[in-house]
Amino acid sequence: MTTIISMLIIAIAIGIYVYITGRKSRETKGKIEKARKYGLHEPVSIHPYFDPGLCIGSGACIKACPEKDVIGLASGRGSLVNASHCVGHGACAHACPVGAITLVFGTETRGVDIPYVTPNFETNVKGVFIVGELGGMGLIKNATVQGREAMEYISCLLRGDERKGDGVYDVLVVGAGPAGISASLAALKNNLKYVTIEQDDIGGAVLSYPRNKIVMTSPVDLPMYGKVKLTETTKEALLELWASVIKKTGLKINTFEKMTAMTQENGFFKVTTTKGEYLTKTLVLAIGRRGTPRKLGVPGENSPKVYYRLLEPEQHQNQDLLVVGGGDSAIEAAVALTDQPNNRVILSYRGESFSRIKPKNSERLEAILSRKPPSLKVIFNSTVKEIGEKDLKLMIGTELTAIPNDYVYVFAGGELPTEFLKNIGIQIEKKFGKA
């Protein structure tokens, strides 16, 4: 009798387990179908790959993921759901108890151009390193970790290096975003003779964010400064943090100085900038992936009324404004401009619907579109054909329409600075779902 009761209890437990996992699987599959419908199923950059032969369906990866509904369990195995929302955090891979998750770039059908780097972030050009967004790691935490680890490796590499020359640096860092600042701090900590240059001001890609844009990040450990705990913050707060770090540590950064060329000379790298030349033993590239903003290629685009990033939305009031693009940057800019008094904003996108946008941006956009009267108009299946002084021509479907316009903001992405990398000898790989 006891045996029968025990078997019954086990059977009930198994039945409950099967029912719960089956329900969760159906929910996940439904979310995946919804993501496909809205174009959110394609990963933008680095993302997890689940090995079905290793995955045991523990769900640890789901609990560790900082984003909602990016991954889920389907048929008892880990699966990407809203893949375009993945920020490449890597917490899922660290949490997996059986090592079933690998972080990869691209998919089987969509390749991603990534510079070749070793596990120590060194490129095929010995002594040249790539960290941060250019190497596919745009998340602030990952970028800062890469910058620090690369410089620690360089410090070991240069230990005992007797090469000397007039004014020769141990390392030159290009870029003062999260990866560049972290690398520079690590150079300072390891007593390396360094120089850091930045073509704009300190902050890197964060500078191009609209005012008050929420930046998603997580706790990071900065050399010479300590642990910084951030979950959600603003552009201004993050820039203030970098300023505080620089002041506390005495870090030196040459702003508004752009690297233009690199050659090898007498065993050193000769780096040419807009302000001079440097000789260095090693070089760290901590620049962004955007490179030159992608342009529309239409008449009038060279007009001074056309911009490719929004810094001060407050300067626009009671104006007719056009924002071009369908990604997060375009939506954030449109929202920021709409929030200014009496602006009339049009958001033009060539696609049929927005895809790969963060949930919070989607919520903000829906909230603005629900306002009465509407101050933001979204026009899908539209492309700019010509930009005039007081208006512009917009092709909506098959109809060409003239609309009044004071300023145009274009957020059509940017090209990987491939030519620049090739000119200094760095190999570019197109990865199709590979690590």
Side-chain angles (χ1 to χ4, degrees):
M1 186 68 178
T2 303
T3 303
I4 295 175
I5 294 175
S6 298
M7 292 179 64
L8 184 60
I9 292 173
I10 293 172
I12 292 173
I14 292 174
I16 293 173
Y17 172 78
V18 170
Y19 171 77
I20 293 174
T21 54
R23 185 187 64 189
K24 288 183 177 179
S25 179
R26 288 190 295 274
E27 290 176 353
T28 299
K29 289 178 180 179
K31 291 176 181 178
I32 293 174
E33 286 304 312
K34 184 178 179 180
R36 289 184 181 279
K37 179 181 178 181
Y38 290 100
L40 304 175
H41 66 292
E42 285 284 350
V44 177
S45 184
I46 190 168
H47 61 279
Y49 164 75
F50 300 87
D51 187 332
L54 294 177
C55 181
I56 59 175
S58 70
C61 54
I62 300 172
K63 295 177 181 178
C65 181
E67 302 291 316
K68 182 182 179 182
D69 283 341
V70 167
I71 54 180
L73 291 179
S75 300
R77 298 290 183 270
S79 178
L80 279 169
V81 182
N82 293 289
S84 65
H85 294 162
C86 180
V87 296
H89 192 282
C92 56
H94 293 296
C96 181
V98 293
I101 299 176
T102 305
L103 296 180
V104 301
F105 294 96
T107 66
E108 291 182 357
T109 57
R110 185 181 61 84
V112 175
D113 288 329
I114 296 292
Y116 168 82
V117 293
T118 69
N120 294 315
F121 313 107
E122 191 170 22
T123 69
N124 58 293
V125 180
K126 298 298 182 184
V128 178
F129 297 77
I130 287 178
V131 294
E133 187 184 4
L134 183 60
M137 285 291 184
L139 192 69
I140 291 174
K141 179 181 179 180
N142 291 346
T144 53
V145 168
Q146 281 197 354
R148 183 185 72 241
E149 290 181 350
M151 197 58 70
E152 295 289 347
Y153 177 74
I154 289 172
S155 178
C156 293
L157 198 65
L158 295 181
R159 199 164 292 155
D161 190 329
E162 299 297 329
R163 291 179 298 159
K164 294 182 180 179
D166 293 336
V168 174
Y169 290 90
D170 290 319
V171 60
L172 186 148
V173 179
V174 183
I181 290 175
S182 178
S184 302
L185 289 170
L188 185 63
K189 177 182 178 181
N190 286 281
N191 297 313
L192 296 178
K193 185 179 180 182
Y194 76 97
V195 61
T196 301
I197 63 173
E198 164 58 50
Q199 67 176 1
D200 291 315
D201 208 341
I202 294 165
V206 176
L207 281 174
S208 63
Y209 293 164
R211 183 178 291 276
N212 292 322
K213 176 187 183 303
I214 290 179
V215 180
M216 297 297 294
T217 183
S218 55
V220 294
D221 189 12
L222 292 174
M224 305 290 292
Y225 187 82
K227 185 160 294 232
V228 177
K229 294 183 179 180
L230 296 172
T231 50
E232 290 188 3
T233 185
T234 63
K235 163 187 172 178
E236 292 75 23
L238 198 55
L239 292 177
E240 286 178 7
L241 169 64
W242 298 137
S244 172
V245 168
I246 290 169
K247 181 178 180 179
K248 179 180 177 180
T249 61
L251 186 68
K252 303 295 183 183
I253 297 175
N254 298 347
T255 55
F256 303 104
E257 182 172 3
K258 182 179 180 180
M259 174 180 172
T260 57
M262 186 274 285
T263 57
Q264 297 192 41
E265 184 177 293
N266 299 324
F268 302 120
F269 295 110
K270 181 180 179 181
V271 176
T272 304
T273 75
T274 51
K275 294 186 178 181
E277 294 179 343
Y278 301 90
L279 285 178
T280 180
K281 297 176 183 178
T282 59
L283 176 66
V284 174
L285 299 176
I287 59 179
R289 287 180 59 84
R290 286 183 60 88
T292 303
R294 185 178 291 115
K295 296 191 175 183
L296 302 176
V298 300
E301 188 171 12
N302 293 327
S303 165
K305 64 185 276 187
V306 180
Y307 295 89
Y308 300 90
R309 66 177 183 176
L310 176 63
L311 297 180
E312 300 292 341
E314 295 88 352
Q315 67 178 316
H316 299 292
Q317 296 184 16
N318 194 28
Q319 292 177 335
D320 293 298
L321 306 163
L322 179 76
V323 177
V324 180
D328 284 306
S329 295
I331 288 173
E332 287 156 4
V335 169
L337 290 169
T338 303
D339 282 339
Q340 304 311 310
N342 303 316
N343 280 337
R344 299 163 295 280
V345 183
I346 292 177
L347 177 56
S348 168
Y349 182 46
R350 63 183 180 181
E352 296 182 354
S353 62
F354 294 123
S355 62
R356 303 175 184 172
I357 62 173
K358 294 183 177 68
K360 287 194 175 181
N361 281 334
S362 180
E363 292 170 7
R364 292 190 189 102
L365 182 62
E366 289 177 5
I368 283 183
L369 292 176
S370 66
R371 293 177 184 173
K372 302 296 182 184
S375 52
L376 171 64
K377 183 178 181 180
V378 177
I379 304 179
F380 293 112
N381 298 312
S382 61
T383 55
V384 178
K385 290 299 181 182
E386 185 176 341
I387 299 173
E389 183 179 351
K390 298 291 185 180
D391 62 4
L392 57 82
K393 293 179 180 178
L394 196 66
M395 181 68 77
I396 306 173
T398 58
E399 183 179 345
L400 190 63
T401 304
I403 59 174
N405 176 261
D406 295 306
Y407 291 93
V408 177
Y409 282 90
V410 180
F411 297 90
E415 303 290 346
L416 180 71
T418 304
E419 288 305 312
F420 168 75
L421 296 175
K422 286 181 178 178
N423 286 339
I424 61 178
I426 293 176
Q427 176 184 340
I428 306 293
E429 300 179 309
K430 187 174 283 290
K431 296 195 174 185
F432 292 88
K434 301 292 184 182

